[in-house]
């Protein structure tokens, strides 16, 4: 991937609805799965800070078993303009996010495993995350492509 699109305000960019396609690869077992769904970033009014409530839902297929899956996160204004402090709904920190260059790499330690995330903005309507999870319990790569959900499939007029 060569070109990234700088985003001066990540919360403004993320706001709205997105279509998701995620691949999940277990590097130890070579098992692969998919998640197809949507994510909405809607206004969050928390402690006067604002931000976005991120809710993701869809269908996860793993080892031939299909099941519903969802998660919710809080995307709060970060310490620098245009950045984000991503938190779990119980307030625990997840990771930081700075898309001002169009690309961001961040870590999240989880027990003995380490999640390393790479976020890239491809254009006004497409961004990607790749999480590499390594440790004694997990050896995974999760790649998620986000496409802005537009009524009638109309592209954005920039």
């Amino acid at each position: 991937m060569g070109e990234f699109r700088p985003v001066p305000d990540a919360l403004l960019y993320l706001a709205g609805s997105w279509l998701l396609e995620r691949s999940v690869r277990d590097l130890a077992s070579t098992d692969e799965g998919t998640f197809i769904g949507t994510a909405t970033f809607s206004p969050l009014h928390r402690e006067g800070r604002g931000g976005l409530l991120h809710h993701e839902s869809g269908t996860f297929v793993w080892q031939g078993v299909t099941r519903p899956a969802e998660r919710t996160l809080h995307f709060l204004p970060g310490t620098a303009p245009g950045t984000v402090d991503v938190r779990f709904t119980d307030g625990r920190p997840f990771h930081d996010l700075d898309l001002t260059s169009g690309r961001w790499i961040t870590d999240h330690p989880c027990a003995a495993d380490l999640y390393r995330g790479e976020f890239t903005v491809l254009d006004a309507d497409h961004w990607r995350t790749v999480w590499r999870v390594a440790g004694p319990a997990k050896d995974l790569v999760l790649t998620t492509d986000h496409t802005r959900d537009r009524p009638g499939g109309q592209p954005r007029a920039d």
Side-chain angles (χ1 to χ4, degrees), residues 64-104:
V65 177
T66 302
R67 68 193 86 175
E70 63 182 319
R71 73 174 174 175
T72 302
L73 299 167
H74 291 175
F75 280 58
L76 305 173
T79 56
T83 65
V84 178
D85 174 20
V86 182
R87 301 221 164 222
F88 295 104
T89 56
D90 64 5
R92 289 177 298 128
F94 184 14
H95 63 85
D96 56 352
L97 182 60
D98 181 349
L99 297 176
T100 55
S101 72
R103 180 172 183 257
W104 184 250

Side-chain angles (χ1 to χ4, degrees), residues 8-23:
D9 186 332
L11 291 174
L12 184 62
Y13 174 77
L14 295 171
S17 296
W18 298 84
L19 305 175
L20 305 182
E21 291 187 28
R22 177 175 298 132
S23 67

